[in-house]
Amino acid sequence: MMLSHRVGRVCHVLVLVLCLSAAEDFDWSANNHDSFYYGTFPNGFSWGAGGSAYQTEGAWDKDGKGLSIWDVFTHKKGKTFLNDTGDSSCDGYYKIKDDILLMKELNLNHYRFSISWPRIMPTADHVNEKGLKYYDVLIDELLENRITPIVTLYHWDLPQVLQEKYGGWQNISMINYFSDFANLCFERYGDRVKYWITFNNPWSVAVEGYETGEHAPGLKLRGTGAYRAAHHIIKAHAKVWHTYDSQWRSKQRGMVGISLYGDWGEPVDITNQKDIEAAERYVQFYIGWFATPIFHGDYPHVMKDFIGRKSTQQGLGTSRLPSFSSQEKSYIKGTCDFLGVGHFTTRYVTQKSFPSNRGNTYFSDRDLAELVDPRWPDPGSEWLYSVPWGFRRMLNFIKTQYGNPMIFITENGVSEKIMCTELCDVWRIQYYKDYINEMLKAIRDGVNVKGYTAWSLLDKFEWDEGYSERFGLYYVDFKNKNKPRYPKASVQFYKRIINSNGFPNQREVENWKSKATETCSTSNQLLAADPLTSHMEMVTEVVVPTVCTLCILISAVFLMILLRKRN
Ligand code: NOJ
């Protein structure tokens, strides 16, 4: 063999080795639970909090707003806890200035909110100037206060007309409708908004909206509905990214991403290959369902394999999981300037086969069982166990699978038990402390996290759970018509993390907790006094005027009788 040939072959092998080692594999066996890490975040790390339109704005039928699928869903009986609705919620629509004061109090760098599609396009084909104006004011006020707006286009409130006319996300025509809406937002707000999120948590839209029916529009199209909805959402996302890229990017210089939600799945037995595969399936059916097409052009292999095989066993000619054409694959691949990550909790996962003759659903397609460790704290919602190390695992998984993308944590936080009015939320302090610390460790591992959004700024409407689950840093008294906000102790704690850009040293951080809880019992007294205040308001606003009117009426009648008698 000639020398030049040999050298050529060696180089070829070298390139191959380099390529292989560049495509990193996630290491399932290395789950090290390091102790607390004292240190700071990179300079310029962005700290924020968030909320969404239907969950906080209220004003559901004001100033020309159209109906959304959530207005219609919550107005039906039996869909939400105590039939709660978002009709007035936190009345955020009327409280821009008040809420920005709360953000200032926290020293936030960014605020994440969503635009209500039917508020600005009530019937999806005409524009509502008053609705547009509301977001103009919100964006301007944020910028004046040096808070960066991170704007979500779709946080679940589809215009009802699109549901009625086309069946919502089951229909391909949503892609163009969504693109028109996004274009309107880029045109109107893009001079000031530089971070756009196309969809918030499409997993929920697909699974809870079209598979289990727990969320609007409440459809139970088991085994097919979620896959079809997701397919159209992914294409709609790609179209909007391309529109921004070709029409707006050069003028506006912003970024377009998507916010994906994912719980972490940890193998029950880390040495058992079957458990590892089941855990990986869990994660691929969650975040991978959307992230893999967006970063690599197609659905995860494991989804195609499992759903395809089960469809064949059912006797179907094609898979229940739709497929992308090769043109679509290259159109979708790479449509993400940053990845939004919503994460709250973790499950242990093990292999469990679901025979396809017992009905096929998104859940049974995965062939796995989820477990929790009874020692994990569950301070709030029944599904939300605090497992901080799962956050670091999830972030490292994203790094290895999708080429270390730029990440913004778009949601992370914890709720409290039903009907809790406690402002000294020590469990939330603990949750934030530990989860934020795991994020810091992930950054040390090399994960490219640029910002963190505490979920949420305020207590708000929590979808099918109504007002029974409170995620806020600020407590909202929904019973009082003024919807007053009260800081929980976690406000003081989160603020200290922000001001120090991390966790400086043990002594200081340990001090923060006691400092944070110093004032909360006083505010708790205020809150306790609140029913009395509302009672007093009722007395002055209703009882006093009614009694006065009655007195005047009675005196008039007496006067008339007296006058008659005289005559
Ligand atoms: C994810 C959703 O995007 C958000 O709206 C909700 O408040 C949280 N989950 C908590 O349930």
Side-chain angles (χ1 to χ4, degrees), residues 55 155-156 200-201 344 383 411 455 460 462-463 471:
Q55 291 183 280
H155 203 124
W156 308 356
N200 172 69
N201 190 350
F344 292 85
W383 55 270
E411 287 183 22
W455 195 261
K460 57 190 172 357
E462 211 28 69
W463 311 111
F471 276 84

Side-chain angles (χ1 to χ4, degrees), residues 356-427:
S356 58
N357 58 7
R358 285 221 244 115
N360 290 278
T361 67
Y362 160 84
F363 293 99
S364 64
D365 281 342
R366 303 176 306 173
D367 273 353
L368 56 86
E370 300 172 40
L371 307 160
V372 294
D373 183 333
R375 289 165 302 182
W376 287 345
D378 61 335
S381 317
E382 55 167 350
W383 55 270
L384 209 172
Y385 293 83
S386 173
V387 194
W389 53 259
F391 194 21
R392 180 181 180 188
R393 296 277 276 163
M394 175 86 182
L395 290 171
N396 271 287
F397 180 85
I398 292 172
K399 169 178 169 249
T400 57
Q401 295 280 304
Y402 313 120
N404 204 8
M406 179 196 287
I407 294 177
F408 275 86
I409 304 304
T410 39
E411 287 183 22
N412 178 243
V414 69
S415 53
E416 39 231 5
K417 293 276 178 234
I418 275 186
M419 304 310 175
C420 173
T421 55
E422 179 58 80
L423 296 179
C424 297
D425 54 346
V426 279
W427 63 93

Side-chain angles (χ1 to χ4, degrees), residues 318-351:
T318 50
S319 173
R320 283 180 283 105
L321 181 72
S323 55
F324 297 116
S325 70
S326 49
Q327 266 170 332
E328 286 169 344
K329 286 180 193 167
S330 42
Y331 184 72
I332 292 166
K333 184 175 170 176
T335 54
C336 202
D337 303 324
F338 67 91
L339 179 65
V341 174
H343 173 84
F344 292 85
T345 192
T346 286
R347 293 287 181 270
Y348 277 123
V349 180
T350 187
Q351 153 73 31

Side-chain angles (χ1 to χ4, degrees), residues 207-219:
V207 173
E208 294 175 300
Y210 294 88
E211 169 96 23
T212 66
E214 291 156 289
H215 282 186
L219 297 175

